[in-house]
Amino acid sequence: MSRPQHVLGTSAFAVLVFVISLVLFHWPFLADDGHWTPPQLYLTMFAAWALVILLVFLFSWFLPPASADEDDEPDSG
Amino acid sequence: MFESLTVITVFCVYMGMIFALAVWAERRQAAGKSVVNNPLIYALSLSVYCTTWTYYGSVGYAANSGLLFLTIYLGPTMVVMFWWGLLRKLVRIKTTHHITSIADFIGARYEKSVPLAALATVIALVGTMPYIALQLKAVLITFDMITQDTGVASAFIGSHVGPIVLVLMVVFTIIFGVRRLDPTERHEGIVMAVAAEGLVKLVLFMAAGIFVVYVLYDGFGDIFSRYSALSENLPGLSMRSRTTNFLTWTSYLVLSASAVMFLPRQFHIAVVENQNEDHIKKAMWLFPLYMFLINLFVYPIALAGLLDGLPLASADTYVLQLPLKSGHHLLTLLVFLGGFSAATSMVLITSMTMATMISNHLLLPLVDWIPALGFIERHLLKSRWLAVTCFILMGYWFERLVGGEVMLVNIGIISFAAVLQFAPAIVGGIFWRQANSRGAMLGLSAGFLVWAYTMLVPALVTGGWFSPNLLNHGPLGVDFLRPERLFGVRGMDSVSHSVFWSLLANVVAYILGSLTRRPDQQAQRDAESFVHALTDEGMLSRGGRHEAYISLPEKRRRIEVLLLRYFEPAGAAAITEKCLRETQLEDRERISITELADLYNEVEKNLAGVVGTAGAHRALMSAGVFTPRESQELSEVYGEILAGLRARPEDLKRRINYLQERQQLTNQHAEELEEKVVELQNQIIRRKMAEQQVRESEERYRTAIEYSNDGVVLIKDNLLWYVNRKFAEMFGYNSRREIVGRALDTIVHPEDRERVVTISALRRQGRPVPSRYDFKGLKKDGSSLFIAVSATIVSYKGRTVNLVYLRDVTERRRHEDEIRQLSRRLIQGAEDERKRLSADLHDEFGQSLTALHLGVRSLESSLPTDLILQQARCEQLISLIEDLAENVRKISSDLRPDMLDHLGLIPTLEWYAEELRQRAPGLEVEFKAVGFKRRLDPKVEIVLYRIMQEALNNVVKHAGAGKVSIRLTYSHPTAIMVISDDGRGIDLTSDDPARELSSGIGLISMRERVASVGGTIDIRSEPGKGTSIRVALPDQPPPDAETLIEANA
């Protein structure tokens, strides 16, 4: 197994991405929302969304084929 | 604005196209070339999640509540990374258990519980009904917005748009998804249609967004800056109460994360229609990307609508109003079509799925319960049509009920909260093996009831079905039970409130219910097969009875005792060993019941070869291989397998018979294949021998070519690909390397280059060209030589090439030229001699005879009249002299008619034709001359005369013709003469010496004469079909006339 696959195609990475998305998608509430203007909110949320999609793409890219893990529990999720 | 009729027509045409696409996909599937079985289509079909709620409702929600609309799409994005474990597990279970719907899944997991599946169906039915209402509401509002009727038909449609849309939705759903029963519940056509509609709505919504942002405004920055400047005076976009918003935000994330998998339509597309688990990997990022793109312009459109002063109450339709207001009607129609597309795909999939669930989990159990309803089983398809119709009608009813008062998003949230109730049962079902049907039933019921009380009831109050007092003061004035303030909980919005209480009730009941009952062994096995679906353990537990507890030595002893009845001890032991080996049980001490069954079958098979199938069966039955307990267990195993296959025993028997026949056929086929393999091996040996012979032959051939006295060349694509030594030597090259690879025209003299290259190219194309011809070659030193060519097409190393043999004929050509020159001189000399003789005869001999004739006449007149005898002698002399003069004149004319010089060619030829008529009375002679207004060169005239003379002599002597025609035509600067007869003809291809003697010399003479004045001659003749000679001569012979002679048979 190559090193990126060892890191990116694992359930640990999936959990990490979930936590990142959880934080990013709640960021307007975690930060002081009194200073957020609609354009700032819009840009922040879409940038965060794009980042999460990129991370999910990396995760999916390094996943093994479906037939590879029938002898074991799934590596993710 | 459009007429209603126009809009309906456009929609029907669009749906027709989508239907054609679906039919095409189904045909491809039937042909084994599925277009749907790919991750892109799978990901696009998941976009059925984005309905009119996304298309219209998101803008409305953005205008009212800021970015809260995004939670509907961020929630799914947050959970897609778990799809590889969660969704893939669901897909694997679906494949293993032949799951057809979400209700079927829940029922199958929990002890195949029929009531549970029915409850899940009811929840899905009630829960998705508002969603259908949402789609219908969006369609009706937007339809009304873009239409303005003037005609009678349009006015009728406009006033009945609700029922019409309803009928169209029902018809399309039945045509697309329920036109036949499909046991797999997989519909490639409908998936293709949904994927296509997903693409359409994405493109059209983005088109609307680009129009608003870049045409109506100067980009995102412009919209945001204008909004910032005016935001204090604009309504909407509230996001002020931090606590409430945080709870709402989180609740929406939870709802959407659950809905993307557990909405019936999402479950159907994502799980039931999935054909390959690996598709999930791409869908994990493609689907969020789709949602990202379709939402990119939602917020700017909402801001633009507010900046444009559009009413906040109609924010749901900003995406349509903005292009409509700016007068871009075509864009408006397209955007409407996109919205319609979003609605139809959702209605289509949901209705189809719900129809399956209603018929399988409500109607059929009802039939079992009430036997009088048994006829429904025979009309299952029609009952599904009825279910589709009723379901859509209920959605319409709900829309009429509450649709007018509630925003699109709020209707959708009701459905989201309903399907959230499936989450504990499904997620718990695939990860918690102790979960059981009691827990699921209690959890689902509790969650559903709380949902209905906290969310559905308030919606019905809004629709006027219940008194607002119920919301404000609780039932019977009990404040403690207010639907939106249950048990006095405050500080939550209604959605968060409902999510909190319903999920709490659901989970608690689910856990408590599961913990308070211990499932039986069967239920445990079912649970195992779901929990470990992605591992072998799950697969094994589904089959059950895999414990290896049966003693193999004991069974072996029984089998050997049985076999000893028919075989010697050594033979019995050998057969037993063989059976154990075949079933891979040699080294085992204990085996499972299924392994014992395998061993039993193997022994029976071996024994059947001796005592027949029936005898073997009877013998084994009497041998007591199976104890009663083992027989019972085996029976249960088969029962489980049968249940797992979902087939009746008769069906299974038929299938087994079919498979046995298939096996026989396969065995037969294998034997045939073995024979073919042997045959192929023989063929290979023969081929190797043939190849050896070919190699030897090639070697001989190569040697022959190498040392040939002729030049040999292979030409490929106008390049000299291979040449032999003689070739190089012929053209003055020191080695072959110097010339190989160069162009063909390197060795051809410029005079003949075009002709030779053309012939070579045409030959390679397979066109008819002469295989033998001459050309003028060009040596390396620039000198020329004459080459005779013999060429053909061959295949060499897999390519088509010209194989050309070349012979240096320069010497021969020189001799031929000399002969030709001599021949011409001879002809010319003969002609000159004839002319001189003719002149001498005419001028000298003729004059002498004239003088003699006059002298004798004078003598006769001077004789006395009585000398009768002398006078008679004089008369005789005069007569002789006149005959002699006539003969001299005739000989002179034959040698060269003087009239040719004096009167010209045409009168001479006419005279000759007349002569011929008199000479050969049986021959019809036709003469015709056209265009001769002036004299030709004398040399040309005499050639024409001589050819006609020679040709007509041949006709009289050899042709046996009844008719001959001579036609002369002059067309500056060429005189053409054609002489045709209907005689016996000649074979120009024959080498018969007699022909050469009879006609060949004459023909050669003609050709030489023609060549001497630079003309051409074409002789055509076939035995029995006459002869035609065509001569074309220039009116002035060139000084160095070249010859081109063609002879075509």
Side-chain angles (χ1 to χ4, degrees):
Chain A
M1 187 184 285
S2 62
R3 191 168 183 80
Q5 192 171 358
H6 193 65
V7 176
L8 298 176
T10 61
S11 53
F13 186 73
V15 173
L16 180 68
V17 176
F18 175 74
V19 172
I20 291 172
S21 65
L22 200 63
V23 171
L24 288 177
F25 293 162
H26 283 91
W27 194 252
F29 302 100
L30 298 174
D32 181 6
D33 66 347
H35 296 91
W36 290 95
T37 63
Q40 283 174 328
L41 265 174
Y42 174 83
L43 288 173
T44 306
M45 293 312 297
F46 273 86
W49 198 358
L51 178 65
V52 172
I53 291 172
L54 179 66
L55 291 173
V56 172
F57 169 75
L58 288 174
F59 171 63
S60 70
W61 184 263
F62 289 102
L63 279 173
S67 56
D69 58 356
E70 286 183 4
D71 296 332
D72 201 358
E73 280 291 342
D75 204 20
S76 63
Chain B
M1 301 293 268
F2 302 90
E3 294 282 337
S4 299
L5 188 60
T6 309
V7 176
I8 289 287
T9 307
V10 168
F11 173 67
C12 287
V13 169
Y14 169 73
M15 289 309 290
M17 289 163 66
I18 295 288
F19 182 68
L21 191 67
V23 170
W24 173 74
E26 285 178 356
R27 286 187 180 164
R28 296 277 296 182
Q29 178 196 13
K33 298 173 183 172
S34 172
V35 286
V36 172
N37 188 10
N38 76 68
L40 184 64
I41 298 290
Y42 179 66
L44 271 176
S45 65
L46 287 173
S47 71
V48 71
Y49 180 73
C50 300
T51 63
T52 51
W53 177 359
T54 304
Y55 206 86
Y56 297 119
S58 288
V59 176
Y61 212 36
N64 280 283
S65 308
L67 286 173
L68 193 58
F69 76 96
L70 270 185
T71 51
I72 304 303
Y73 313 97
L74 295 179
T77 307
M78 283 173 67
V79 293
V80 286
M81 60 282 281
F82 299 118
W83 278 11
W84 190 241
L86 187 62
L87 181 56
R88 193 160 62 97
K89 203 170 201 177
L90 296 178
V91 169
R92 185 72 63 87
I93 292 166
K94 175 269 298 186
T95 308
T96 310
H97 293 265
H98 302 280
I99 301 295
T100 57
S101 65
I102 193 166
D104 195 23
F105 184 93
I106 293 171
R109 163 61 181 87
Y110 296 103
E111 300 147 50
K112 299 184 176 56
S113 167
V114 174
L116 199 53
L119 176 63
T121 301
V122 170
I123 293 174
L125 184 64
V126 179
T128 53
M129 197 170 55
Y131 220 140
I132 295 290
L134 185 158
Q135 310 308 315
L136 295 173
K137 178 183 176 183
V139 168
L140 296 179
I141 290 173
T142 52
F143 190 95
D144 188 50
M145 187 175 289
I146 68 161
T147 53
Q148 188 174 38
D149 298 320
T150 52
V152 176
S154 286
F156 175 81
I157 291 171
S159 58
H160 297 84
V161 66
I164 289 173
V165 167
L166 212 61
V167 169
L168 284 176
M169 291 285 188
V170 169
V171 169
F172 283 132
T173 303
I174 290 174
I175 289 177
F176 274 89
V178 204
R179 66 179 186 277
R180 59 173 175 264
L181 285 175
D182 187 344
T184 63
E185 289 302 335
R186 288 226 312 243
H187 315 77
E188 290 213 359
I190 207 165
V191 173
M192 188 71 197
V194 169
E197 291 194 307
L199 197 61
V200 167
K201 66 192 174 199
L202 175 66
V203 169
L204 293 180
F205 189 84
M206 290 192 75
I210 290 168
F211 169 79
V212 170
V213 173
Y214 292 103
V215 177
L216 297 184
Y217 291 87
D218 287 336
F220 287 92
D222 183 34
I223 291 180
F224 287 136
S225 60
R226 287 199 205 188
Y227 179 78
S228 298
L230 299 171
S231 59
E232 291 303 318
N233 301 321
L234 289 174
L237 293 164
S238 63
M239 212 170 167
R240 297 196 174 86
S241 171
R242 182 173 177 169
T243 311
T244 303
N245 276 327
F246 182 80
L247 278 175
T248 310
W249 185 273
T250 308
S251 300
Y252 277 38
L253 286 176
V254 171
L255 284 174
S256 58
S258 138
V260 77
M261 290 182 70
F262 304 136
L263 276 169
R265 68 171 190 279
Q266 291 302 126
F267 187 90
H268 186 86
I269 289 289
V271 179
V272 179
E273 298 286 357
N274 179 289
Q275 300 193 29
N276 187 333
E277 291 174 18
D278 281 320
H279 292 174
I280 295 169
K281 278 199 282 189
K282 277 198 179 163
M284 282 166 66
W285 61 271
L286 272 175
F287 177 55
L289 184 63
Y290 180 97
M291 294 189 295
F292 179 91
L293 291 174
I294 204 166
N295 281 290
L296 201 58
F297 292 99
V298 167
Y299 199 56
I301 291 172
L303 294 181
L306 293 171
L307 287 169
D308 226 32
L310 296 175
L312 190 60
S314 66
D316 280 341
T317 54
Y318 279 0
V319 68
L320 207 57
Q321 286 188 66
L322 287 166
L324 187 65
K325 193 179 170 189
S326 62
H328 289 78
H329 289 165
L330 179 61
L331 180 64
T332 307
L333 184 63
L334 288 173
V335 171
F336 170 78
L337 202 61
F340 218 139
S341 190
T344 47
S345 59
M346 182 274 166
V347 172
L348 211 143
I349 290 285
T350 307
S351 313
M352 186 187 77
T353 308
M354 288 310 305
T356 305
M357 286 160 66
I358 291 168
S359 65
N360 289 0
H361 306 299
L362 291 181
L363 274 180
L364 292 181
L366 200 65
V367 170
D368 287 342
W369 196 33
I370 307 171
L373 297 175
F375 68 92
I376 292 177
E377 284 182 328
R378 293 191 297 278
H379 298 94
L380 197 58
L381 183 62
K382 286 173 188 162
S383 71
R384 286 195 182 176
W385 294 353
L386 186 66
V388 165
T389 309
C390 291
F391 179 67
I392 295 177
L393 274 173
M394 283 165 67
Y396 184 63
W397 166 77
F398 193 85
E399 191 275 328
R400 297 284 101 177
L401 198 68
V402 299
E405 307 298 329
V406 187
M407 281 190 70
L408 294 179
V409 170
N410 294 335
I411 300 179
I413 285 294
I414 297 173
S415 289
F416 273 30
V419 297
L420 178 66
Q421 309 314 317
F422 291 138
I426 293 177
V427 177
I430 60 174
F431 289 109
W432 186 30
R433 71 186 69 180
Q434 202 173 336
N436 55 42
S437 59
R438 177 188 284 180
M441 180 64 89
L442 287 174
L444 274 179
S445 304
F448 176 60
L449 288 174
V450 173
W451 164 80
Y453 187 68
T454 55
M455 191 160 267
L456 192 61
V457 167
L460 293 175
V461 169
T462 311
W465 274 61
F466 298 114
S467 163
N469 285 337
L470 186 66
L471 288 185
N472 299 330
H473 307 292
L476 305 172
V478 182
D479 189 68
F480 191 64
L481 296 176
R482 285 171 61 185
E484 292 181 323
R485 297 283 187 273
L486 197 60
F487 306 125
V489 170
R490 297 171 187 275
M492 285 187 193
D493 62 285
S494 59
V495 174
S496 305
H497 176 266
S498 180
V499 168
F500 170 74
W501 279 118
S502 62
L503 202 55
L504 182 69
N506 190 333
V507 171
V508 169
Y510 176 63
I511 294 172
L512 287 177
S514 297
L515 291 176
T516 53
R517 203 192 81 180
R518 184 176 176 77
D520 60 20
Q521 280 191 331
Q522 179 61 43
Q524 280 180 346
R525 277 197 296 276
D526 286 345
E528 291 287 342
S529 71
F530 274 67
V531 173
H532 299 290
L534 294 176
T535 64
D536 281 346
E537 194 184 338
M539 300 301 289
L540 293 174
S541 63
R542 185 172 166 254
R545 276 34 172 232
H546 280 260
E547 278 179 62
Y549 67 91
I550 301 166
S551 167
L552 182 60
E554 163 63 16
K555 299 299 176 191
R556 179 180 181 149
R557 191 184 60 74
R558 284 181 181 274
I559 290 168
E560 282 179 346
V561 168
L562 168 69
L563 293 176
L564 281 172
R565 291 189 218 164
Y566 308 96
F567 303 98
E568 293 297 318
I575 291 175
T576 310
E577 281 298 325
K578 180 173 174 258
C579 292
L580 289 168
R581 199 167 48 249
E582 290 292 326
T583 49
Q584 299 178 346
L585 300 172
E586 312 104 290
D587 305 324
R588 301 279 294 279
E589 282 294 316
R590 294 195 173 274
I591 56 175
S592 68
I593 185 69
T594 51
E595 286 167 336
L596 177 61
D598 287 344
L599 181 61
Y600 181 96
N601 289 334
E602 190 64 30
V603 173
E604 184 177 303
K605 201 165 70 180
N606 278 273
L607 197 56
V610 181
V611 297
T613 309
H617 183 67
R618 275 198 307 274
L620 273 161
M621 290 291 283
S622 65
V625 176
F626 286 100
T627 64
R629 185 196 157 205
E630 287 162 358
S631 297
Q632 172 66 26
E633 191 172 358
L634 188 64
S635 171
E636 286 174 11
V637 168
Y638 286 145
E640 283 174 15
I641 293 170
L642 209 59
L645 290 171
R646 299 191 169 197
R648 292 180 304 165
E650 293 78 16
D651 295 337
L652 193 61
K653 193 179 270 183
R654 272 201 297 275
R655 214 177 293 172
I656 289 168
N657 288 340
Y658 167 74
L659 288 172
Q660 282 174 340
E661 283 173 20
R662 286 289 302 271
Q663 189 183 1
Q664 283 176 359
L665 284 172
T666 308
N667 290 341
Q668 195 179 339
H669 186 56
E671 286 171 12
E672 288 171 6
L673 282 177
E674 275 180 24
E675 287 173 12
K676 281 183 181 169
V677 166
V678 172
E679 175 62 24
L680 278 174
Q681 283 173 341
N682 291 335
Q683 279 182 11
I684 289 168
I685 292 168
R686 285 199 294 273
R687 177 170 289 185
K688 280 185 177 172
M689 290 171 66
E691 282 173 357
Q692 179 65 25
Q693 287 171 350
V694 166
R695 272 198 296 276
E696 290 171 6
S697 172
E698 275 183 356
E699 191 56 39
R700 285 198 296 274
Y701 182 64
R702 187 185 299 277
T703 307
I705 283 180
E706 282 297 318
Y707 295 98
S708 169
N709 274 331
D710 288 337
V712 181
V713 59
L714 291 174
I715 300 169
K716 181 176 80 71
D717 300 334
N718 204 36
L719 295 175
L720 306 175
W721 202 22
Y722 163 84
V723 301
N724 69 350
R725 290 176 194 168
K726 182 68 180 177
F727 181 93
E729 184 187 317
M730 193 182 289
F731 287 93
Y733 291 91
N734 298 325
S735 73
R736 285 182 286 179
R737 277 198 299 277
E738 279 187 77
I739 186 70
V740 167
R742 298 175 73 171
L744 170 62
D745 50 17
T746 311
I747 59 157
V748 184
H749 194 277
E751 288 175 9
D752 283 349
R753 198 164 280 167
E754 187 180 344
R755 180 170 65 92
V756 171
V757 170
T758 306
I759 289 174
S760 178
L762 290 174
R763 177 175 290 108
R764 275 198 307 279
Q765 294 166 13
R767 308 271 287 277
V769 286
S771 60
R772 292 165 188 268
Y773 61 94
D774 292 358
F775 75 89
K776 196 171 179 182
L778 189 64
K779 287 187 171 183
K780 181 184 174 185
D781 60 7
S783 60
S784 60
L785 73 167
F786 286 98
I787 300 291
V789 164
S790 174
T792 186
I793 288 280
V794 294
S795 178
Y796 185 70
K797 294 184 177 177
R799 295 167 185 238
T800 301
V801 296
N802 285 350
L803 170 63
V804 185
Y805 290 85
L806 303 97
R807 181 166 292 178
D808 185 351
V809 292
T810 310
E811 198 62 20
R812 192 190 80 193
R813 281 293 291 266
R814 193 172 60 76
H815 292 312
E816 281 177 0
D817 283 348
E818 285 174 4
I819 291 168
R820 189 172 290 119
Q821 290 300 324
L822 282 172
S823 174
R824 286 179 193 171
R825 279 189 215 143
L826 196 61
I827 291 168
Q828 189 59 44
E831 200 57 50
D832 291 346
E833 190 59 23
R834 283 181 173 197
K835 190 175 180 181
R836 191 183 61 74
L837 273 173
S838 175
D840 286 352
L841 283 172
H842 183 268
D843 296 345
E844 295 180 15
F845 201 63
Q847 285 178 8
S848 298
L849 285 176
T850 305
L852 187 61
H853 182 269
L854 289 172
V856 175
R857 182 65 74 190
S858 171
L859 179 64
E860 184 193 16
S861 60
S862 65
L863 285 174
T865 54
D866 55 339
L867 293 175
I868 295 169
L869 185 62
Q870 285 76 11
Q871 284 185 344
R873 294 293 294 176
C874 285
E875 281 297 322
Q876 284 178 339
L877 281 172
I878 288 168
S879 178
L880 277 171
I881 291 166
E882 284 175 352
D883 286 348
L884 189 59
E886 180 60 27
N887 284 337
V888 166
R889 189 186 61 78
K890 195 161 182 277
I891 291 168
S892 173
S893 290
D894 283 347
L895 286 170
R896 181 180 175 91
D898 56 350
M899 63 192 304
L900 185 62
D901 296 327
H902 300 124
L903 298 178
L905 179 66
I906 303 305
T908 307
L909 298 184
E910 280 177 340
W911 164 79
Y912 193 85
E914 187 55 37
E915 281 279 302
L916 185 67
R917 286 189 193 102
Q918 290 171 9
R919 192 149 44 100
L923 180 66
E924 184 186 342
V925 180
E926 187 180 286
F927 181 87
K928 195 169 181 182
V930 179
F932 287 85
K933 293 180 180 171
R934 63 185 181 87
R935 296 285 300 271
L936 305 175
D937 185 273
K939 286 182 186 170
V940 174
E941 287 188 338
I942 193 66
V943 167
L944 286 171
Y945 175 76
R946 292 292 177 211
I947 287 174
M948 178 173 160
Q949 192 179 31
E950 185 65 44
L952 293 181
N953 277 340
N954 282 341
V955 170
V956 171
K957 286 180 187 170
H958 308 295
K963 182 180 176 183
V964 63
S965 80
I966 306 110
R967 293 185 189 283
L968 274 102
T969 311
Y970 178 77
S971 175
H972 181 75
T974 307
I976 297 169
M977 178 168 73
V978 180
I979 302 167
S980 309
D981 69 63
D982 60 355
R984 59 177 65 95
I986 51 174
D987 184 2
L988 291 168
T989 61
S990 167
D991 294 330
D992 182 8
R995 186 189 67 77
E996 286 292 326
L997 285 172
S998 62
S999 61
I1001 293 172
L1003 296 180
I1004 292 168
S1005 164
M1006 284 185 207
R1007 284 171 178 154
E1008 288 303 323
R1009 282 182 187 281
V1010 168
S1012 68
V1013 291
T1016 61
I1017 181 167
D1018 179 15
I1019 303 167
R1020 293 167 189 259
S1021 183
E1022 274 184 68
K1025 293 187 178 176
T1027 303
S1028 171
I1029 299 171
R1030 182 182 183 278
V1031 176
L1033 303 180
D1035 54 2
Q1036 293 291 331
D1040 53 345
E1042 285 294 330
T1043 307
L1044 181 61
I1045 303 168
E1046 296 173 19
N1048 298 313

